[in-house]
Every structure is written in structure tokens, then in C-alpha cells.
Amino acid sequence: MDANQHTRANPYGMDEDCRNCPALCETRNRIVHGYGDVGADFLFVGERPTARADDVGVPFLSEGDGDEAENENENENDGTTLRRILERLALCDATSPADRPTLEKVYLTNLTRCRDPERPPADEEIGNCEPFLNAEIRSINPEVLVPVGERALEELGTEYTTTPAEDLSLPDAHATTIRGRGFALVPMIDPREQTDAQTQAWLEHFAELMASDYRQTKGRRER
């Protein structure tokens, strides 16, 4: 963790009362900014906050994270969760609280900071949040961007790679490495929608990447 980071929740002190998207202001419980290690090598980007993230304020939280939540509502999580994947890679302390995971080398964020439970974000809403995401990416300067889900892959792939848009799709890009402009992208199907085989394939691919000299391979930029 960076010495200046006093909390992993919204470490950059971003706007907690943003009103740029009037419709989302009416449906959100809170703004969910990025969370995690500001010295991260791996930056995970989803489409929008999950329902539990909207309640707690930490991206990617799922009802399957933590024993209490698992007992409360098993139906909301048919597959795995991102936390479980990170625990298996030793990037998340399995003993840390369910609503405040301790992450190492990992930062979590979304294309949009607010949630409408009935619909995905509009293009304009993603555009309104883009300055927040860009600020996080520039400040953290990760080695690897992990787009979680189709929308995140589309947005990050268009911005940071020269790969044709028609070749940036899931599930084909799941558990692959796409070399980009300044970052490597390792796309992931939403963990809650993955089959066991897809989870294992992504874990094996990412573990191999972590074991490699990925900084030198990508061409590390100075932080």
C-alpha cells in the first residue's frame, strides 16, 4: 500500500456527492468509487456496482462473499465470486472482513460509480464517470487491466488496444492476454456467470502471468 493511502475505500478522495447522472442519483444508495492497493499491479474494472457494493461501498462485493452473506442468499450467486478468485491467487487475505477485503497488488473499480438495479448504465453515464476511471488508471499505473464482463472489455479494449472491436468479445477473450498500448489486458467473464471450467482456465492463465516477468515483458513505464 502506498504510504499516503490511509484507507482502501476511495483512497483518492473522489467526489462523494457527484450529481452528473440525475437518473442514477435517484436509484443509487451510495457512490462506489475504487477500492484497494494504490500500488497495484492488477486493476480490475467492472461495468457497474453490484447490489451489495451499492449498499457497502466496495466494488465487486457479492452476496456469496463471507459465510453470513452466503447463508443469507445463496441464489444471488450461482457461480464463484471475484473475492474467491483473488484468494486463490493469494491476492486477497481470506481472513479479512467480507465487507473490507484486504487486497495486495489489486485495485477494484467500475466504469460507472452508481447503480440502477433495473438496467445497465447508458453510454452517457459511462462517459460521465470516465474522468474518475482515467484518474485511477493514471495514478495507479498498473501492469495489467482486467476487464470483467463484455462492457468493460469493449470500453478498455477500444481505449487501450489496437485489436479490432469485433475481436474483443467474451467468452472468446476470457483467460487470454491482449497486448495493448501501455497495458496488457486479461479479460474475464463475470465470475458469477462463469462455469467451473472457465474459472479454472482463468486462474491457470493468470497464475502463469503472475509467475512470468510480466513487468519486463510489457515494457514497464515509470510510476
Side-chain angles (χ1 to χ4, degrees):
M1 182 188 294
D2 184 275
N4 295 321
Q5 181 181 332
H6 302 295
T7 173
R8 291 176 184 267
N10 190 12
Y12 297 107
M14 292 178 175
D15 187 358
E16 295 287 5
D17 193 34
C18 178
R19 308 291 298 180
N20 288 340
C21 303
L24 291 180
C25 292
E26 298 300 319
T27 60
R28 74 189 184 202
N29 286 323
R30 67 177 69 230
I31 297 174
V32 183
H33 284 299
Y35 176 95
D37 185 348
V38 298
D41 283 346
F42 313 118
L43 196 154
F44 289 70
V45 183
E47 179 184 56
R48 60 173 175 159
T50 61
R52 190 161 178 230
D54 185 46
D55 287 334
V56 176
V58 176
F60 288 101
L61 286 187
S62 173
E63 293 298 336
D65 290 327
D67 292 338
E68 291 183 8
E70 207 168 324
N71 292 333
E72 287 173 5
N73 189 351
E74 295 181 358
N75 294 329
E76 184 163 326
N77 180 53
D78 295 327
T80 188
T81 68
L82 182 59
R83 174 173 175 139
R84 290 172 183 165
I85 289 174
L86 296 178
E87 286 176 358
R88 290 177 66 178
L89 292 168
L91 296 172
C92 176
D93 181 355
T95 66
S96 59
D99 60 350
R100 284 292 184 269
T102 299
L103 305 175
E104 296 298 334
K105 298 184 180 180
V106 170
Y107 190 87
L108 309 176
T109 193
N110 287 294
L111 297 177
T112 54
R113 311 291 152 137
C114 302
R115 176 181 173 83
D116 186 316
E118 304 297 331
R119 63 170 178 84
D123 290 343
E124 181 181 1
E125 292 165 344
I126 289 178
N128 287 341
C129 272
E130 188 174 3
F132 291 134
L133 178 61
N134 287 343
E136 288 169 332
I137 292 175
R138 284 196 306 270
S139 297
I140 294 169
N141 189 21
E143 302 289 346
V144 178
L145 294 175
V146 182
V148 180
E150 195 82 48
R151 193 76 172 277
L153 174 57
E154 176 185 342
E155 296 292 332
L156 295 180
T158 300
E159 180 69 22
Y160 293 109
T161 80
T162 58
T163 304
E166 59 269 20
D167 295 336
L168 293 169
S169 63
L170 294 169
D172 291 346
H174 177 80
T176 67
T177 297
I178 302 171
R179 296 299 171 185
R181 297 190 295 264
F183 307 97
L185 270 65
V186 182
M188 172 194 285
I189 297 168
D190 188 313
R192 296 165 297 178
E193 299 172 4
Q194 292 177 24
T195 65
D196 290 344
Q198 288 169 332
T199 299
Q200 188 60 32
W202 196 91
L203 281 165
E204 291 177 1
H205 181 79
F206 205 77
E208 288 179 7
L209 182 146
M210 290 174 63
S212 71
D213 191 358
Y214 57 86
R215 292 180 176 87
Q216 191 175 67
T217 300
K218 184 181 77 67
R220 180 62 175 151
R221 301 174 301 163
E222 292 299 322
R223 285 193 186 276

